[in-house]
Amino acid sequence: MPKNQKNRQTDLLNFQTAYNPERFKQALIGTIHTLSGYTATNINFCSSTVNNRQYQSKNNKENVHLPQPPEIQDAKTLQFIRGQADALALYLKYHDNDLPSPPDLTSEDAQNSFNALEQVRVEALGSKKMAGVAANLQAVMEHNSHIEGHARMDKAEQLSPAKALSLLVYETLTGKTVPKASRKILQLWRNQLTPQGEKALKAMKEALTDQDHYAQATKQLLQAYRLLEGEEEKSDNGKEESSQDTADQNKDSNPDYPEEKQEQQESELKQQFSQIPLNMEDQEKPDSAMGSDKSEKAGGPSQQPPDTLADVEDASYHIYTKLFDEVVTAEQICDVNELDFLRNQLDQQLQEIQNIISKLANRLQRKLMSQQIRSWNFDQEEGLLDASKLTRIITNPTNSLSFKQEKSTGFKDTIVTLLIDNSGSMRGRPISIAAMCGDILARTLERCSVKVEILGFTTQTWKGGRSREKWLADKRPQNPGRLNDLRHIIYKAADQPWRRAKRNLGLMLKDGLLKENIDGEALFWAWQRLKTRVEKRKILMVISDGAPVDDSTLSTNGSEYLENHLKRMIRKIENRAEIELVAIGIGHDVTRYYKHAVTITKAEELGGTMIHELTKLFDEKDKIQSK
């Protein structure tokens, strides 16, 4: 190994003992030069988001870009940057710019997927030869899977084709499994793999060292997933256009062309073309999902109103960067032993109040169970045999009124989401009681077949974190928008049994967890998770003890920036009416934000208030009035 390369690797391995951003940069530069063989390449460190799956800048081997290393040591971030540096170096080393991309990559998905799969090829080549590089690239993949929320995806279309095919080809070329968070969504894409696609994957593996042949195999894979038209499809499209042109010419050239014949020919053409699948989604949709005849006749743009809650950003609120945001589970923050310790602390603190809340919860349970009690219509001519009428059957077998039928209870399948403020002002008694109330409520509602999800929201650091560092490095542009690193926590998923999530709620007692609160984005996140659920009735309960506060954001955008955004998010959710929204404020008047809200003065009142508000929502009279 060259002496210079050995020194650079030593720098990277030993930076933890005396971390210095400038020294880390120099080590990265040396590694890229040595690994790629291009010593004249300029490595630029910028604060804008740089992802090793963005390829436009890599066609220029004279200048490449990497993210700015953080000022404060962060092992995960530094390994992520090292992985991006390795990906760049491998692209410089193994990709031949002189070989042009295929000219028929007309769609954006096809172009992005083709570039992504070429990146997978060069990374696979490097991973097979260098174990350290493979570990860094794996860290990047883990990071991206986590940031992009692969674990929460349950539909194939939620993952972009470029990302899905990258993961699929990565497994084929390297023989390694993708991150755990990505396995479920990748399986949905693997289920759509055709024999043509399997053949293309095999060809890509065999052509790993031949960029030209690999590109041809990549095109076959894109055709298999309908991202690129094959020759047969192009030919068929030509025939369709020719047929349509012939019909138009006949109509235009002959004024006496009978209208009935025109309509008959148009009808036949439409029927013929409707049988040709346009894409995989159309092929899989049932007839009922393709729309009625009325919707097909309406021309022009869709008459449906636009989704006014399509994005958390709007004209008055934007996000400076999402690069450092995270959605995590309790296990990703603490190990199992620490979670058990924190849970024991929670149980010890709240033994007395637990008994009080349990009594109230039992009342709620009795109400819910009474609404779900099965009832029967007797003396029916068909149905289940009524055992109490057996004597009637024996004495008079011709009597037909000996059956019973079960009545429908009218109780909708329901899900309740608890969104708990994890800000620093909740520290101590409020957060402990919120955790225990959520725990008891989840246990109670689970017995009544009501799904419960418990979520928390805070920030990763005080006063901006890495988002603010990025803004400072960008020379402080005006009105940057939200300027902190979000941390959204899933304490209990809706489909997770209470017994498996019990220990997670102890995480709320962890020192240093509770920081600042950006309520508007947290509310949107909880709403997004809830709206995709299949339950007919959806309830979102927010527990907070104050207005949104983030010093970094408010100091650069104005004192009411976060509060105004929260009000807009609440108004949009309440106007849609598909989710019932209720809020409980602890020592903070939330009635000025929410239509359905209550304010309590002491944390000890939280349990009773939660049960009372849910009881009102589940009350049959209230439900009838709301209808």
Side-chain angles (χ1 to χ4, degrees), residues 463-465 468 481 483-484 516 550-557:
K463 302 185 183 301
R468 186 174 182 83
L483 205 57
N484 206 334
E516 299 184 274
D550 171 43
D551 291 341
S552 179
T553 301
L554 298 181
S555 64
T556 53
N557 298 274

Side-chain angles (χ1 to χ4, degrees), residues 244-385:
Q244 184 65 51
D245 291 342
T246 301
D248 293 340
Q249 289 173 5
N250 289 336
K251 180 177 178 180
D252 294 338
S253 61
N254 186 0
D256 299 325
Y257 196 68
E259 281 190 343
E260 293 181 0
K261 192 170 184 179
Q262 294 176 26
E263 292 176 358
Q264 181 181 0
Q265 188 168 10
E266 289 177 0
S267 176
E268 291 174 356
L269 286 172
K270 287 181 180 178
Q271 184 177 4
Q272 176 185 356
F273 297 156
S274 66
Q275 296 173 358
I276 302 175
L278 298 178
N279 51 46
M280 292 294 290
E281 291 179 349
D282 293 343
Q283 210 169 12
E284 293 174 356
K285 287 181 182 178
D287 294 339
S288 59
M290 298 301 291
S292 62
D293 292 338
K294 293 182 181 180
S295 63
E296 291 177 358
K297 291 179 181 178
S302 172
Q303 301 301 315
Q304 295 295 330
D307 189 346
T308 57
L309 202 60
D311 195 355
V312 71
E313 296 183 86
D314 54 32
S316 302
Y317 183 88
H318 62 280
I319 301 166
Y320 191 69
T321 177
K322 296 181 181 180
L323 177 62
F324 309 110
D325 297 346
E326 65 177 16
V327 177
V328 294
T329 60
E331 294 90 345
Q332 291 174 299
I333 299 177
C334 284
D335 59 33
V336 174
N337 293 332
E338 186 176 5
L339 286 175
D340 286 334
F341 173 76
L342 293 171
R343 177 67 209 202
N344 289 334
Q345 280 189 323
L346 183 64
D347 291 336
Q348 291 173 7
Q349 290 181 20
L350 301 173
Q351 288 181 354
E352 296 180 2
I353 196 170
Q354 182 175 352
N355 295 331
I356 299 173
I357 299 174
S358 295
K359 291 179 181 179
L360 296 172
N362 287 335
R363 294 181 188 174
L364 174 62
Q365 181 179 346
R366 286 195 294 272
K367 173 177 283 292
L368 292 177
M369 295 301 290
S370 66
Q371 294 178 9
Q372 299 178 56
I373 290 177
R374 300 196 306 180
S375 58
W376 300 85
N377 289 323
F378 296 95
D379 297 327
Q380 302 297 307
E381 294 186 356
E382 58 182 9
L384 298 176
L385 182 63

Side-chain angles (χ1 to χ4, degrees), residues 52-53 55 112-121 123-124 141 148 150 159-174 176 178-179 186 189 201 204 214 221-222 225 227:
N52 71 308
R53 298 293 182 194
Y55 312 92
N112 291 340
S113 299
F114 183 87
N115 291 337
L117 297 182
E118 169 61 10
Q119 181 68 29
V120 174
R121 183 185 75 88
E123 290 181 11
M141 188 178 295
E148 295 166 10
H150 292 185
L159 189 63
S160 68
K163 174 62 71 173
L165 297 184
S166 295
L167 295 171
L168 184 64
V169 174
Y170 168 83
E171 283 193 337
T172 302
L173 299 185
T174 65
K176 299 178 181 178
V178 299
L186 180 60
W189 278 83
L201 285 176
M204 292 171 75
Y214 181 88
L221 183 65
L222 298 183
Y225 275 99
L227 297 173

